[in-house]
Amino acid sequence: MTINMDCAMTQLDSSGQSKMKRSKKLKKSKQYIENEGKEINLDAIDTPIKKKSKGAVIKPTKKKSKSDKVKKPKIDKPVKGTNLPSTWVMKPVSGIDLVSKDVVVTDDGKYIFVNSLDKVLVYSTASGQLVRQLNTGQILAVQKGAVEGQVFVASRKRICTWNFMEVKIVQKYNLSFNKFLGSDVEDMFIPEKFHDNKQVFISVKGKERTNPLFRINVDTNSCMKIFNNVKIGSVHIGENDNLLCGISDHKTHGYKDCTLLVYDRNLSKQMTMNTDKGRPFTCARVHPVNKVVACGDTSGRILIFSGMEQTQPAKSVLHWHSLPVGGLCW
């Protein structure tokens, strides 16, 4: 039998065996390349790929359309004063708040009262242990009483006199307001001599982002405005409950927390002291018996203002700190 072999279709290898070659039609319909000795069908790949040298790994690439645009990742701007993004929400998960409000020490120095926002914690100074816990609900202020075991606790609706030794309420003073709503109350300050004059100072939510300060008598419900705008938590009274102070914004330029307001109750006189806008006040405390006010600022300075009865009080600067002054106590 005679078999005709087309020389264009056969080829002998090194061992003499015939090796079939792909036809031109096959080459036309399908494209094949070799990659590490294996054949890859290029027609099965939608996008064109380039033939690479032997041993290279071939990866298909995707064509970019004109509609495809590179989207930049959205970066949230941090909240002012923190490093947290604006979309983050920060809330306490567990633990007890011990530092948001000022602590109160009894006259005999045996106990410390801590306003933990929804309860009052009583610690022993001798052992440092928690000896009492008063579950009062949401409160604004705490102050020591004149009698041993007595503590005043204030909320938006009433002021209660507690006996923390027996853990019970002894007396209640209901609050009623005629110049603002109870829901507008932001903060409250109870003087140490509350048991004598029954007066408290209340900061409320005012117009145009202000917080006016009012003096309230819980017996007569009389109300009087003291300051037009104060920083929440900055109110303090001293000099035998006569000299009142608070931090406010600059009246003319509006620089935040750059003005110290002082009010003399006996003279019904108001005084102001200013600082530069780059170093605003952080806290202020009046001396217990003298007309002297100590202030801390963001640069770590402690400023002492004395001679409040003069037209221009004297100012002295004490040692500096590396961080803003968080609290002061005489």
Side-chain angles (χ1 to χ4, degrees):
M1 182 188 305
T2 303
I3 301 175
N4 294 325
M5 301 291 294
D6 189 358
C7 61
M9 298 292 294
T10 58
Q11 186 179 358
L12 297 179
D13 56 11
S14 57
S15 59
Q17 300 293 329
S18 63
K19 185 177 179 181
M20 297 294 295
K21 290 178 68 178
R22 298 188 184 275
S23 64
K24 292 181 181 180
K25 291 184 179 180
L26 186 60
K27 286 183 180 180
K28 226 174 193 180
S29 61
K30 294 183 180 180
Q31 296 180 356
Y32 289 87
I33 62 171
E34 288 188 3
N35 181 31
E36 298 181 355
K38 297 180 180 179
E39 292 183 348
I40 297 177
N41 185 2
L42 298 184
D43 288 347
I45 303 175
D46 295 335
T47 57
I49 60 174
K50 297 180 180 179
K51 183 177 179 181
K52 295 189 177 181
S53 59
K54 189 175 182 180
V57 179
I58 300 174
K59 296 181 180 180
T61 58
K62 183 181 178 181
K63 288 183 179 179
K64 292 184 179 180
S65 62
K66 294 181 180 179
S67 60
D68 293 342
K69 294 181 180 179
V70 179
K71 295 183 179 180
K72 296 182 179 179
K74 186 178 179 181
I75 301 175
D76 293 331
K77 295 181 180 179
V79 180
K80 186 177 180 181
T82 67
N83 293 325
L84 299 177
S86 57
T87 55
W88 287 21
V89 178
M90 183 173 59
K91 62 180 180 179
V93 177
S94 62
I96 299 175
D97 187 354
L98 302 176
V99 297
S100 293
K101 298 287 186 177
D102 292 335
V103 299
V104 179
V105 184
T106 56
D107 291 331
D108 56 11
K110 292 182 180 180
Y111 301 100
I112 297 176
F113 302 129
V114 177
N115 180 356
S116 187
L117 301 183
D118 61 346
K119 61 179 71 72
V120 177
L121 308 176
V122 184
Y123 289 90
S124 170
T125 57
S127 63
Q129 298 298 317
L130 179 66
V131 294
R132 293 289 188 277
Q133 177 175 308
L134 309 179
N135 296 317
T136 58
Q138 196 71 23
I139 56 177
L140 297 176
V142 172
Q143 187 57 269
K144 59 188 175 183
V147 183
E148 184 179 0
Q150 190 180 72
V151 57
F152 299 109
V153 180
S155 66
R156 283 185 169 88
K157 295 183 178 180
R158 64 183 61 90
I159 298 176
C160 299
T161 304
W162 282 74
N163 186 322
F164 68 86
M165 293 293 186
E166 300 177 4
V167 193
K168 69 177 184 179
I169 298 176
V170 179
Q171 191 175 6
K172 292 182 180 180
Y173 301 93
N174 293 321
L175 300 176
S176 61
F177 314 112
N178 50 20
K179 293 187 177 181
F180 51 86
L181 300 176
S183 58
D184 292 334
V185 175
E186 294 285 335
D187 196 19
M188 188 180 303
F189 178 79
I190 306 175
E192 290 187 8
K193 292 189 176 182
F194 171 77
H195 57 277
D196 292 334
N197 52 34
K198 300 297 186 295
Q199 293 180 352
V200 295
F201 297 90
I202 299 179
S203 302
V204 302
K205 186 187 298 181
K207 298 178 180 179
E208 298 178 357
R209 298 183 180 180
T210 60
N211 298 111
L213 180 70
F214 292 87
R215 182 178 65 198
I216 307 292
N217 189 305
V218 298
D219 280 342
T220 63
N221 289 327
S222 61
C223 181
M224 176 183 175
K225 182 186 284 188
I226 305 297
F227 299 137
N228 292 324
N229 184 28
V230 293
K231 178 183 178 182
I232 299 298
S234 66
V235 176
H236 189 256
I237 194 169
E239 201 220 345
N240 297 317
D241 273 15
N242 175 55
L243 203 66
L244 179 74
C245 77
I247 298 173
S248 181
D249 299 339
H250 196 281
K251 186 177 181 180
T252 306
H253 303 287
Y255 301 143
K256 189 171 180 61
D257 301 337
C258 289
T259 298
L260 174 67
L261 303 176
V262 180
Y263 178 74
D264 192 313
R265 298 176 64 185
N266 292 336
L267 303 176
S268 298
K269 178 183 177 182
Q270 182 173 324
M271 297 158 283
T272 59
M273 278 73 71
N274 298 315
T275 185
D276 54 279
K277 63 178 181 179
R279 295 181 289 188
F281 296 119
T282 56
C283 56
R285 291 295 179 269
V286 184
H287 193 276
V289 296
N290 298 324
K291 290 182 182 293
V292 180
V293 182
C295 301
D297 66 12
T298 56
S299 68
R301 297 184 304 171
I302 297 178
L303 309 176
I304 306 296
F305 296 96
S306 57
M308 293 296 175
E309 65 280 356
Q310 301 175 5
T311 306
Q312 185 65 33
K315 182 179 75 172
S316 58
V317 181
L318 300 186
H319 55 280
W320 290 54
H321 298 77
S322 58
L323 295 174
V325 180
L328 291 172
C329 183
W330 287 98

